[in-house]
Amino acid sequence: AMARASTAFIFLALIAAVGHVDAYTRCGIANRGCNAPNQFSGMKKSKTLPTIVASTGITQDFKDKLDEGHQVLINFAGGASKTYAYILEGGGADAAYADFKTKNCEQTTFEGYCGADNLITQAKKSESAAMKGAGGKTCSCGHTLESSAALYYVLSSDSTAQYVGERAVHEMCHVTQLSRGEYFPTWLIEGGAVHTECLLQKKLTWSTQTYEDCFRYGGGRAGV
């Protein structure tokens, strides 16, 4: 009788637990507190270059420099798949960003939300930025799981292809760092990416910047 009662109790507890998980439709994010750790990763190690998605005004030179920056990092530290690199011209018309919006929302829409419109607004204002941003997400065991990575390069009117290529080393470093699915403090993530970008400057075919000058004036943050 005792065994039957214990079995019944466990069975009811399991039902209750399942009901509790199902009640949270936001992957457990809402009940993890304001200092929740970074999302877990389902990314796989890979040497494949990110897939570039460009607005209509982006020239081949920008794409080539972007590929080179990503490749330099992958050669040094490896990469992760699948990764998309979105590059948006500054000051474009709505039509210039249509393909970006479609493909970005296909990748990143999660629980009904896609942030493409915010990035388009930023690009139309020529507010330059380079970042690892929202990628693909799924739910796993009540937590958010990154299923694909996304890099974003928003250009201003004076952005150069060389500048974008240098930022590509830095941002691709973030993909490799975070694909391991661990929690890293911000100082280590950013410090590691700046160090790596400056260390690998000499691998970029156009760059004459030294490690020291990169740290003083570059590194993705106008100096350290």
Side-chain angles (χ1 to χ4, degrees):
M2 181 74 72
R4 285 196 298 272
S6 298
T7 300
F9 177 82
I10 293 170
F11 181 73
L12 290 172
L14 287 171
I15 292 174
V18 170
H20 178 75
V21 171
D22 288 345
Y24 290 98
T25 60
R26 297 189 63 234
C27 249
I29 295 171
N31 64 332
R32 293 176 69 190
C34 62
N35 268 330
N38 288 352
Q39 63 190 19
F40 299 102
S41 177
M43 302 282 288
K44 303 296 183 184
K45 293 180 182 179
S46 172
K47 294 186 177 181
T48 303
L49 280 169
T51 299
I52 293 176
V53 177
S55 60
T56 57
I58 299 298
T59 65
Q60 190 60 45
D61 189 37
F62 275 91
K63 297 176 186 178
D64 290 343
K65 296 291 193 301
L66 194 61
D67 270 342
E68 184 172 344
H70 292 150
Q71 188 67 67
V72 162
L73 188 282
I74 291 170
N75 290 345
F76 179 73
S81 187
K82 188 169 179 84
T83 300
Y84 294 85
Y86 298 99
I87 179 167
L88 307 179
E89 67 205 75
D94 288 341
Y97 308 109
D99 188 52
F100 156 72
K101 181 174 180 177
T102 297
K103 292 180 178 176
N104 183 250
C105 287
E106 285 175 356
Q107 181 199 1
T108 66
T109 296
F110 183 65
E111 296 176 344
Y113 177 76
C114 170
D117 284 335
N118 293 334
L119 288 157
I120 291 170
T121 298
Q122 184 175 347
K124 291 172 73 173
K125 293 179 180 178
S126 294
E127 297 175 349
S128 65
M131 59 187 172
K132 179 185 181 297
K137 298 177 184 177
T138 59
C139 282
S140 181
C141 300
H143 295 287
T144 306
L145 185 76
E146 184 177 47
S147 55
S148 61
L151 302 176
Y152 298 90
Y153 303 91
V154 181
L155 309 185
S156 65
S157 58
D158 58 354
S159 295
T160 65
Q162 289 85 350
Y163 173 83
V164 170
E166 290 164 8
R167 296 292 77 74
V169 180
H170 183 113
E171 302 310 329
M172 191 67 207
C173 185
H174 287 325
V175 172
T176 303
Q177 289 170 325
L178 298 175
S179 68
R180 304 307 183 243
E182 300 291 341
Y183 173 73
F184 296 103
T186 300
W187 68 264
L188 181 58
I189 291 174
E190 288 300 333
V194 170
H195 165 70
T196 303
E197 177 182 344
C198 293
L199 181 69
L200 297 179
Q201 283 288 308
K202 59 186 177 182
K203 298 291 186 180
L204 298 170
T205 55
W206 65 84
S207 180
T208 59
Q209 192 174 49
T210 65
Y211 179 86
E212 291 80 7
D213 283 344
C214 177
F215 250 78
R216 289 190 183 101
Y217 310 115
R221 290 178 173 267
V224 177

